[in-house]
Amino acid sequence: MRDRTQVNSAGPGDRLVRAGVVVFFVGAVATLVTVAPLLLDTRPFPTYMFGLSMLMGVGFLLAAAGVLRSVAAGRRQARAGR
């Protein structure tokens, strides 16, 4: 099977995982930016920054959905190979 698979081919769910990682890191940066004024004793950022912090959870869910999609495709492929 490995001899037929291209090295750089994207499997099912790979794009979801990549998008999830990007969204997660955007949320992580937003969280750091939101928490920084609390630690530096300066004026806090507007409320929408707290909303951007929620992107960490959204990114995690996107990546988890990509992993589950990849697992499901692997199971389908294994069943077809019997």
Side-chain angles (χ1 to χ4, degrees), residues 2 10-11 17 21 30-31 35 50-51 55 62 65 72 76-78 82:
R2 253 179 208 244
V17 172
V21 167
T31 300
V35 172
F50 293 100
L55 287 177
L62 277 173
R76 279 192 301 270
Q77 189 177 22
R82 279 191 205 177

Side-chain angles (χ1 to χ4, degrees), residues 32 34-42:
L32 291 174
T34 304
V35 172
L38 300 174
L39 300 174
L40 300 174
D41 201 28
T42 60

Side-chain angles (χ1 to χ4, degrees), residues 13-69:
D14 285 353
R15 288 185 181 159
L16 272 175
V17 172
R18 289 181 187 147
V21 167
V22 170
V23 171
F24 180 87
F25 280 116
V26 168
V29 169
T31 300
L32 291 174
V33 168
T34 304
V35 172
L38 300 174
L39 300 174
L40 300 174
D41 201 28
T42 60
R43 195 171 134 232
F45 282 99
T47 307
Y48 70 87
M49 287 301 290
F50 293 100
L52 286 177
S53 297
M54 299 300 161
L55 287 177
M56 284 179 65
V58 173
F60 182 77
L61 290 175
L62 277 173
V67 168
L68 291 176
R69 187 171 180 195

